[in-house]
Amino acid sequence: MLFRSLEKTNIHIDNIRLYKAGPTCSMVVAHAQRKLLLNPYPLGDSAENSLTVLIDGIKYSEAFDRFIHAHLEHPWRSKNHSISLGEFISDQNDKIVRSITKQIIKMKLGFLHNKPLIVSINGCTAVGKSTLTKEISSHIQHGVKENFSCTILETDCWITLSRNERLLKELTGFDAEIYDIKSLYDTIKSLSNGQEISGRKYDHYKGFSRRFGTLMPSDILLIDGLMSNYPHLVDLIDLSIWIECSPETHRHLRIERDIRFRGYKPEQAEQNWKIHVRTWPKFEQVYKPEKCITIHTNRSRMFLMDRN
């Protein structure tokens, strides 16, 4: 509830800290009226019969400067009394990433040693699929005792039509025809067979892909993107992760991303969202696996919903 409320405000995350304990009483200060309202937080049966103190003609030096220091100023500075919302979110998200990584490692340990474990990361656009993929990769390679290698494959890198060409044909990232699915499939198979293969890189700002670097075979292959669960590829996938988001938050994130990181004008970003609303339900119906790890994201915070 807290996170949903904060999404609707312009309060910066650095201006919010979480108290590690409940204060012994609440206080409301009306500066202009010089009035102070105190409530001692009574519990149980006594709550209904308790009194709240109302004081008039108050000055800071007379009544509540110590209260402000003890309950507001000192806790804000002391990490023993409060934690920043940013740190809290980061810590909670990290726990989820570690939990998912643990499941991946457990599967890999019971898997064929000469074949990579292939994991797909799919779901709503602009809500953090690539970020989650990179964090899982980092945990696999640096955060567990098992010494496993990891390779990331971004399906956007197999987009063959430029952004202008897609606009002319009224196609989006949900349309498989803008991708070279056969080349993507061959790449996954080559890596599964222990072969090095040419990599690709997609420029999201300019809207086109090109050959770039070399992809190395590894113990675990993470496939990030909308086509990671394409029907022709799904038989190759050993574990699927799906990220979802509320429509209100999703709209905000999608439009913000298109403007800040994709070079779209505001009216274009708004049009992209309208197209998304029309096309997403069918895409989700076709591409969301029946069995997957489902994560709900609430702008910054992730919630593990399902462990199927």
Side-chain angles (χ1 to χ4, degrees), residues 223-286:
I223 306 179
D224 160 34
L226 295 173
M227 288 298 116
S228 60
N229 295 113
Y230 183 74
H232 189 52
L233 306 175
V234 73
D235 289 340
L236 302 175
I237 306 300
D238 303 301
L239 177 66
S240 293
I241 299 169
W242 187 270
I243 306 179
E244 60 183 31
C245 187
S246 68
E248 315 86 64
T249 301
H250 191 194
R251 179 183 180 278
H252 177 82
L253 291 174
R254 173 69 186 259
I255 291 177
E256 181 182 53
R257 183 207 64 182
D258 282 358
I259 295 173
R260 293 183 59 190
F261 303 109
R262 302 268 169 110
Y264 287 100
K265 294 179 180 179
E267 58 271 18
Q268 291 175 314
E270 187 66 44
Q271 182 62 25
N272 288 345
W273 174 252
K274 291 178 181 178
I275 294 172
H276 169 88
V277 171
R278 294 198 306 267
T279 54
W280 171 253
K282 183 177 179 180
F283 178 87
E284 184 178 30
Q285 183 180 13
V286 173

Side-chain angles (χ1 to χ4, degrees), residues 9 11 57 66 88 113 130 156 158 237 307:
T9 74
I11 300 174
R66 290 186 181 181
F88 174 79
H113 293 291
S130 296
D156 283 357
W158 276 263
I237 306 300
R307 299 172 185 266

Side-chain angles (χ1 to χ4, degrees), residues 156-168:
D156 283 357
C157 295
W158 276 263
I159 292 176
T160 57
L161 298 183
S162 68
R163 177 177 293 169
N164 289 335
E165 290 173 320
R166 300 198 300 271
L167 288 173
L168 287 173

Side-chain angles (χ1 to χ4, degrees), residues 165-263:
E165 290 173 320
R166 300 198 300 271
L167 288 173
L168 287 173
K169 294 185 178 184
E170 297 185 346
L171 297 173
T172 71
F174 296 145
D175 295 298
E177 62 190 275
I178 74 171
Y179 301 84
D180 187 345
I181 298 294
K182 182 181 183 305
S183 177
L184 175 58
Y185 178 88
D186 292 341
T187 298
I188 298 172
K189 291 294 290 185
S190 295
L191 291 172
S192 297
N193 294 328
Q195 302 171 13
E196 296 181 11
I197 193 166
S198 296
R200 299 189 66 85
K201 186 174 184 179
Y202 185 77
D203 188 323
H204 285 285
Y205 198 85
K206 295 180 179 179
F208 63 83
S209 62
R210 59 185 173 85
R211 291 189 178 276
F212 181 84
T214 302
L215 290 171
M216 305 296 295
S218 61
D219 300 307
I220 297 169
L221 180 59
L222 302 178
I223 306 179
D224 160 34
L226 295 173
M227 288 298 116
S228 60
N229 295 113
Y230 183 74
H232 189 52
L233 306 175
V234 73
D235 289 340
L236 302 175
I237 306 300
D238 303 301
L239 177 66
S240 293
I241 299 169
W242 187 270
I243 306 179
E244 60 183 31
C245 187
S246 68
E248 315 86 64
T249 301
H250 191 194
R251 179 183 180 278
H252 177 82
L253 291 174
R254 173 69 186 259
I255 291 177
E256 181 182 53
R257 183 207 64 182
D258 282 358
I259 295 173
R260 293 183 59 190
F261 303 109
R262 302 268 169 110

Side-chain angles (χ1 to χ4, degrees), residues 18 22 85 96:
L18 304 178
L85 182 59
I96 290 177

